[in-house]
Amino acid sequence: MVEASRRDFGACRYDALARALPRRIEFAQALDGRPEQSADAVAALHIIATRLCIKRGDDHVAALTADRALAAALRGADAVTVAEAHRMVSSVWRRRGHYADATDIAVAAAQGLARHRDTGLTERLSVQGNLYATAAYTAAKQGDRHAAHALIGEAEATAGRLGRDAELRGSVFGPGQVLLHRISISHLLGDAGQAVEYARRVDPAALPTAERRARYWIDVARAFDQWGKPDRCYQALLAAERAAPQEVRRGAVRAMAAGLLRHDRSLPGVRGFAQRIGAVAGPRG
């Protein structure tokens, strides 16, 4: 059930995942006689639930599921799951605007995981790298250019030790993922041109999941939107929709689509796109 949930998330089957998660969590909680296995499974499912809530902009529920993920992980026996739960807590704190605390949580979890030598090296490096990348994104969100670059440098060094992108436990990390985060970080720091330069170094077809491919195109769209290039922004959003239709229903994408309606005469089909993703009401009848 954990693996099925991870596959649903990676494929951006968010509606099906939302329907299935409560039953899967209930089943994991009922693993009588296997408390550590139950705790690890419950934590993993709440981690996925947190990621889903963040995608849907439901920050209140995300805070609850992140807390439950961490509580369950601490009852289990898996250091990697504990670190991943801390990453969810960090993301929730970032979305609340507590940037310094969110950064500290992610960095402390990455450093703590490094001490668990009994954990498989690939898994440990993958989760550490994602924690550093999350911290770098948070620092950029705060406008802390120095910290953002230093932390993404830590993520890049970790990715260099991995040597390749790997999907482990539903999360992807490696050199390609560092590039994706550099696109996001450059956009957040106001460097749209730099974000596009990083984007040109990525082969989206090689990204391992629909979620990652759609996220790439959305970040490219954000950069072009910031740069004042509505046609390129729109084309990137259409590419994101082709990769994963449910991913483009996010609030940030709807806001971009609504803004593009100012150019509806020069962007054929943009109004239909905005209607499909819920940015504007569709036609009646």
Side-chain angles (χ1 to χ4, degrees):
M1 288 186 175
V2 170
E3 289 304 315
S5 298
R6 288 168 175 163
R7 288 193 298 271
D8 285 341
F9 185 88
C12 300
R13 294 190 289 262
Y14 300 143
D15 292 345
L17 179 59
R19 291 191 297 270
L21 270 173
R23 176 178 53 83
R24 291 171 180 173
I25 290 171
E26 183 179 0
F27 180 88
Q29 289 170 332
L31 289 173
D32 295 333
R34 291 177 284 178
E36 288 187 350
Q37 183 183 10
S38 174
D40 289 339
V42 169
L45 289 167
H46 276 102
I47 286 168
I48 298 164
T50 304
R51 297 178 72 187
L52 177 63
C53 289
I54 289 172
K55 291 285 190 185
R56 293 187 157 193
D58 196 339
D59 292 346
H60 175 70
V61 178
L64 295 175
T65 56
D67 285 345
R68 290 173 183 173
L70 183 56
L74 292 171
R75 294 195 304 272
D78 185 25
V80 169
T81 301
V82 173
E84 271 288 275
H86 274 110
R87 188 162 73 94
M88 296 301 100
V89 173
S90 173
S91 295
V92 167
W93 280 69
R94 180 185 70 235
R95 292 175 70 83
R96 288 174 168 173
H98 302 302
Y99 300 122
D101 289 333
T103 302
D104 289 345
I105 289 167
V107 171
Q111 293 172 342
L113 188 58
R115 295 190 288 271
H116 285 270
R117 299 296 179 179
D118 56 334
T119 303
L121 180 63
T122 299
E123 284 195 337
R124 177 158 49 85
L125 290 176
S126 181
V127 175
Q128 277 182 278
N130 267 325
L131 283 160
Y132 281 125
T134 295
Y137 182 88
T138 301
K141 192 83 172 174
Q142 190 177 13
D144 190 336
R145 184 176 294 269
H146 174 75
H149 287 306
L151 288 164
I152 199 62
E154 291 283 353
E156 188 167 52
T158 306
R161 294 179 65 191
L162 272 174
R164 60 182 178 83
D165 282 21
E167 184 182 1
L168 294 166
R169 304 193 186 202
S171 294
V172 182
F173 185 72
Q177 299 310 302
V178 172
L179 270 178
L180 293 190
H181 277 87
R182 285 195 179 278
I183 298 168
S184 301
I185 288 166
S186 297
H187 161 257
L188 288 173
L189 294 174
D191 301 331
Q194 184 63 68
V196 172
E197 285 302 311
Y198 283 129
R200 286 174 177 151
R201 293 166 55 185
V202 176
D203 176 10
L207 296 173
T209 67
E211 188 271 336
R212 289 289 86 188
R213 291 189 290 275
R215 177 61 190 267
Y216 164 81
W217 285 115
I218 289 169
D219 282 345
V220 170
R222 284 173 171 154
F224 280 125
D225 186 47
Q226 186 179 64
W227 206 356
K229 296 181 180 292
D231 55 334
R232 303 293 296 275
C233 173
Y234 177 45
Q235 292 305 314
L237 290 178
L238 289 177
E241 184 184 32
R242 288 192 294 272
Q246 291 187 34
E247 180 72 12
V248 293
R249 298 178 191 170
R250 301 181 66 182
V253 179
R254 288 174 176 169
M256 276 191 287
L260 289 174
L261 291 175
R262 301 192 305 271
H263 310 280
D264 60 345
R265 292 185 178 179
S266 59
L267 299 176
V270 70
R271 187 166 294 277
F273 171 76
Q275 289 170 350
R276 288 195 301 276
I277 69 171
V280 295
R284 296 182 179 181

